[in-house]
Amino acid sequence: MVIGRLFDGLRRMRDERTLRRRPIPDDLWAVTLARYPFLSRRNADDLAALRDLTTLFLADKEFHGTQGLAITDEIAVAISAQACLPILRLGLHYYDSFAVIVVHPEEVVVTRQVMDDDGVVHEYEESIVGEAPGPGPMMLTWHDIAHAGEWAGVAYNVVIHEFAHVIDMAEGYEPDGIPPLPDRAARDAWAQVIDAEYERFCDDVDAGIDTLVDPYGSEGVDEFFGVTVEAFFVASDEFRGEHPALYELYANYFQQTP
Ligand SMILES: [Zn+2]
């Protein structure tokens, strides 16, 4: 208890020093907000909190570019600001499980392995634009991040998607569409809402109905959580119309109404 309080106190002191010494320059912050209307439409309190949290995130994480992509301040702040949006009221500790973010210029092809029922391993190739950190680092592609302002209209956001997976896994389990919650009853209540919404969504996708939320969400409830958290933050009005129960659940959990 005393150690915990001491640790919290030290972290707070370190954070205050970071905010004093390494604030995000005004012009760079203005460029970031102009690029992403789903950020700039937030109220002054939210934006001030987001700028501070983004500053702390930048001090905490390491960015690496690949294939000749140089990580500029503009790229680092664009990623960090979007990553911090879901945890604006929850805190940076949700992202303590990893330190490195690798940024590719374009989507990348990765080789996957699956084992069939007979124990035979099959390899296949998959193009990806992002991957939440598992054994490896967080992976993102700049092309999709650069376009995230325009693509918010179709509820698409790769940064928020991958960081939603990190939040989902923050309690130390495999992703299951249930973020950290205080107790078993809260987990059961969450599962009841998201499972019902997921089933309804899969039915819509199977029936060929045009959904706001990316049909990729029908791959599993963990992906459904990822795509619906994207939609909640970047296309909130439309999302509320399509999934009012989930909107309510997320507004309470993230303590925000985007
Ligand atoms: Zn995903």
Side-chain angles (χ1 to χ4, degrees):
M1 189 67 178
V2 175
I3 301 268
R5 236 178 298 150
L6 180 67
F7 183 76
D8 287 349
L10 288 174
R11 185 163 184 163
R12 205 161 34 241
M13 268 170 56
R14 192 196 59 192
D15 288 353
E16 278 163 13
R17 199 171 54 223
T18 302
L19 293 174
R20 225 175 24 244
R21 290 187 182 166
R22 298 162 69 181
I24 298 169
D26 289 343
D27 52 347
L28 181 55
W29 187 243
V31 164
T32 309
L33 295 186
R35 192 192 274 273
Y36 302 119
F38 57 87
L39 296 181
S40 58
R41 70 170 179 235
R42 304 296 288 260
N43 66 39
D45 282 351
D46 282 356
L47 288 179
L50 184 65
R51 188 170 175 174
D52 281 356
L53 203 60
T54 303
T55 305
L56 299 176
F57 181 94
L58 283 163
D60 213 40
K61 305 299 181 208
E62 236 177 82
F63 290 82
H64 294 285
T66 67
Q67 296 158 273
L69 179 74
I71 301 293
T72 59
D73 289 347
E74 188 191 333
I75 292 178
V77 172
I79 293 171
S80 305
Q82 294 176 82
C84 287
L85 190 61
I87 53 153
L88 193 58
R89 306 276 175 246
L90 301 179
L92 212 50
H93 60 277
Y94 275 70
Y95 297 160
D96 276 352
S97 63
F98 71 101
V100 176
I101 299 168
V102 174
V103 189
H104 296 272
E106 302 280 344
E107 64 177 23
V108 289
V109 177
V110 292
T111 306
R112 305 281 199 206
Q113 291 188 332
V114 280
M115 195 189 286
D116 67 19
D117 294 341
D118 300 320
V120 180
V121 174
H122 301 270
E123 280 195 348
Y124 64 98
E125 291 192 329
E126 190 181 18
S127 293
I128 57 169
V129 293
E131 188 154 58
M138 166 70 80
M139 193 283 267
L140 296 165
T141 45
W142 175 242
H143 177 263
D144 291 47
I145 298 163
H147 288 90
E150 7 173 335
W151 293 347
V154 289
Y156 175 78
N157 188 290
V158 65
V159 175
I160 294 175
H161 181 98
E162 299 309 334
F163 280 83
H165 287 321
V166 177
I167 294 168
D168 186 349
M169 292 184 285
E171 78 277 73
Y173 317 133
E174 290 288 294
D176 57 1
I178 308 176
L181 286 161
D183 53 36
R184 179 76 191 267
R187 286 179 60 82
D188 288 348
W190 183 285
Q192 211 168 2
V193 176
I194 199 165
D195 287 349
E197 293 278 315
Y198 174 61
E199 270 169 40
R200 183 165 66 85
F201 178 72
C202 290
D203 289 346
D204 286 353
V205 171
D206 287 346
I209 294 170
D210 209 10
T211 55
L212 165 76
V213 171
D214 190 338
Y216 178 66
S218 64
E219 295 264 314
V221 73
D222 55 330
E223 292 303 341
F224 182 64
F225 179 69
V227 294
T228 49
V229 170
E230 284 175 69
F232 174 76
F233 282 105
V234 305
S236 52
D237 286 343
E238 298 86 342
F239 179 65
R240 187 179 207 164
E242 214 167 271
H243 292 276
L246 267 189
Y247 182 93
E248 199 64 34
L249 190 73
Y250 292 173
N252 279 323
Y253 187 79
F254 294 109
Q255 300 160 53
Q256 302 180 50
T257 44

PDB file of all heavy atoms in Angstrom, residues 130 132 161-162 165 216 222-223 226-227 230, ligand 1:
ATOM      1  N   GLY A 130      -1.932  -3.300 -39.643  1.00  0.00           N
ATOM      2  CA  GLY A 130      -1.629  -3.064 -38.246  1.00  0.00           C
ATOM      3  C   GLY A 130      -1.679  -4.366 -37.485  1.00  0.00           C
ATOM      4  O   GLY A 130      -2.351  -5.308 -37.909  1.00  0.00           O
ATOM      5  N   ALA A 132      -1.596  -5.578 -33.194  1.00  0.00           N
ATOM      6  CA  ALA A 132      -1.391  -5.258 -31.781  1.00  0.00           C
ATOM      7  C   ALA A 132      -0.219  -6.079 -31.254  1.00  0.00           C
ATOM      8  O   ALA A 132       0.052  -7.159 -31.759  1.00  0.00           O
ATOM      9  CB  ALA A 132      -2.659  -5.579 -30.986  1.00  0.00           C
ATOM     10  N   HIS A 161      -8.085   0.951 -33.695  1.00  0.00           N
ATOM     11  CA  HIS A 161      -8.362  -0.489 -33.763  1.00  0.00           C
ATOM     12  C   HIS A 161      -7.301  -1.292 -33.006  1.00  0.00           C
ATOM     13  O   HIS A 161      -7.619  -2.121 -32.140  1.00  0.00           O
ATOM     14  CB  HIS A 161      -8.427  -0.939 -35.229  1.00  0.00           C
ATOM     15  CG  HIS A 161      -8.717  -2.391 -35.397  1.00  0.00           C
ATOM     16  ND1 HIS A 161      -9.988  -2.867 -35.661  1.00  0.00           N
ATOM     17  CD2 HIS A 161      -7.918  -3.490 -35.320  1.00  0.00           C
ATOM     18  CE1 HIS A 161      -9.941  -4.189 -35.734  1.00  0.00           C
ATOM     19  NE2 HIS A 161      -8.703  -4.592 -35.535  1.00  0.00           N
ATOM     20  N   GLU A 162      -6.034  -1.050 -33.327  1.00  0.00           N
ATOM     21  CA  GLU A 162      -4.976  -1.856 -32.697  1.00  0.00           C
ATOM     22  C   GLU A 162      -4.860  -1.555 -31.200  1.00  0.00           C
ATOM     23  O   GLU A 162      -4.602  -2.452 -30.397  1.00  0.00           O
ATOM     24  CB  GLU A 162      -3.634  -1.636 -33.407  1.00  0.00           C
ATOM     25  CG  GLU A 162      -3.623  -2.040 -34.890  1.00  0.00           C
ATOM     26  CD  GLU A 162      -4.147  -3.451 -35.172  1.00  0.00           C
ATOM     27  OE1 GLU A 162      -4.089  -4.323 -34.286  1.00  0.00           O
ATOM     28  OE2 GLU A 162      -4.646  -3.676 -36.304  1.00  0.00           O
ATOM     29  N   HIS A 165      -7.357  -3.406 -29.182  1.00  0.00           N
ATOM     30  CA  HIS A 165      -6.909  -4.768 -28.845  1.00  0.00           C
ATOM     31  C   HIS A 165      -5.993  -4.748 -27.605  1.00  0.00           C
ATOM     32  O   HIS A 165      -6.040  -5.652 -26.775  1.00  0.00           O
ATOM     33  CB  HIS A 165      -6.147  -5.394 -30.011  1.00  0.00           C
ATOM     34  CG  HIS A 165      -7.010  -5.808 -31.172  1.00  0.00           C
ATOM     35  ND1 HIS A 165      -8.256  -6.376 -31.023  1.00  0.00           N
ATOM     36  CD2 HIS A 165      -6.794  -5.748 -32.515  1.00  0.00           C
ATOM     37  CE1 HIS A 165      -8.775  -6.642 -32.224  1.00  0.00           C
ATOM     38  NE2 HIS A 165      -7.914  -6.264 -33.144  1.00  0.00           N
ATOM     39  N   TYR A 216     -15.313  -6.873 -41.284  1.00  0.00           N
ATOM     40  CA  TYR A 216     -14.211  -7.642 -40.711  1.00  0.00           C
ATOM     41  C   TYR A 216     -14.503  -8.003 -39.245  1.00  0.00           C
ATOM     42  O   TYR A 216     -14.012  -9.016 -38.731  1.00  0.00           O
ATOM     43  CB  TYR A 216     -12.912  -6.829 -40.826  1.00  0.00           C
ATOM     44  CG  TYR A 216     -11.708  -7.486 -40.220  1.00  0.00           C
ATOM     45  CD1 TYR A 216     -11.191  -8.661 -40.763  1.00  0.00           C
ATOM     46  CD2 TYR A 216     -11.078  -6.943 -39.096  1.00  0.00           C
ATOM     47  CE1 TYR A 216     -10.077  -9.276 -40.197  1.00  0.00           C
ATOM     48  CE2 TYR A 216      -9.970  -7.545 -38.534  1.00  0.00           C
ATOM     49  CZ  TYR A 216      -9.473  -8.704 -39.086  1.00  0.00           C
ATOM     50  OH  TYR A 216      -8.377  -9.307 -38.525  1.00  0.00           O
ATOM     51  N   ASP A 222     -13.515 -10.488 -30.595  1.00  0.00           N
ATOM     52  CA  ASP A 222     -12.369  -9.605 -30.328  1.00  0.00           C
ATOM     53  C   ASP A 222     -12.217  -8.574 -31.450  1.00  0.00           C
ATOM     54  O   ASP A 222     -11.981  -7.392 -31.197  1.00  0.00           O
ATOM     55  CB  ASP A 222     -11.075 -10.405 -30.138  1.00  0.00           C
ATOM     56  CG  ASP A 222     -10.762 -11.323 -31.309  1.00  0.00           C
ATOM     57  OD1 ASP A 222     -11.701 -11.800 -31.990  1.00  0.00           O
ATOM     58  OD2 ASP A 222      -9.569 -11.575 -31.558  1.00  0.00           O
ATOM     59  N   GLU A 223     -12.390  -9.009 -32.708  1.00  0.00           N
ATOM     60  CA  GLU A 223     -12.319  -8.068 -33.831  1.00  0.00           C
ATOM     61  C   GLU A 223     -13.535  -7.146 -33.847  1.00  0.00           C
ATOM     62  O   GLU A 223     -13.432  -5.976 -34.215  1.00  0.00           O
ATOM     63  CB  GLU A 223     -12.188  -8.811 -35.165  1.00  0.00           C
ATOM     64  CG  GLU A 223     -10.856  -9.528 -35.346  1.00  0.00           C
ATOM     65  CD  GLU A 223      -9.635  -8.605 -35.231  1.00  0.00           C
ATOM     66  OE1 GLU A 223      -9.774  -7.376 -35.358  1.00  0.00           O
ATOM     67  OE2 GLU A 223      -8.535  -9.133 -34.983  1.00  0.00           O
ATOM     68  N   GLY A 226     -12.732  -4.423 -31.650  1.00  0.00           N
ATOM     69  CA  GLY A 226     -11.795  -3.509 -32.330  1.00  0.00           C
ATOM     70  C   GLY A 226     -12.499  -2.561 -33.294  1.00  0.00           C
ATOM     71  O   GLY A 226     -12.326  -1.341 -33.218  1.00  0.00           O
ATOM     72  N   VAL A 227     -13.334  -3.102 -34.192  1.00  0.00           N
ATOM     73  CA  VAL A 227     -13.977  -2.245 -35.204  1.00  0.00           C
ATOM     74  C   VAL A 227     -15.070  -1.346 -34.602  1.00  0.00           C
ATOM     75  O   VAL A 227     -15.276  -0.226 -35.069  1.00  0.00           O
ATOM     76  CB  VAL A 227     -14.526  -3.057 -36.412  1.00  0.00           C
ATOM     77  CG1 VAL A 227     -13.403  -3.693 -37.205  1.00  0.00           C
ATOM     78  CG2 VAL A 227     -15.543  -4.097 -35.992  1.00  0.00           C
ATOM     79  N   GLU A 230     -13.330   1.614 -32.904  1.00  0.00           N
ATOM     80  CA  GLU A 230     -12.979   2.571 -33.975  1.00  0.00           C
ATOM     81  C   GLU A 230     -14.192   3.451 -34.290  1.00  0.00           C
ATOM     82  O   GLU A 230     -14.099   4.674 -34.328  1.00  0.00           O
ATOM     83  CB  GLU A 230     -12.684   1.844 -35.302  1.00  0.00           C
ATOM     84  CG  GLU A 230     -11.401   1.143 -35.450  1.00  0.00           C
ATOM     85  CD  GLU A 230     -11.383   0.392 -36.793  1.00  0.00           C
ATOM     86  OE1 GLU A 230     -11.343   1.033 -37.856  1.00  0.00           O
ATOM     87  OE2 GLU A 230     -11.411  -0.856 -36.763  1.00  0.00           O
TER      88      GLU A 230
HETATM   89 ZN    ZN B   1      -7.930  -6.516 -35.202  1.00  0.00          ZN
END
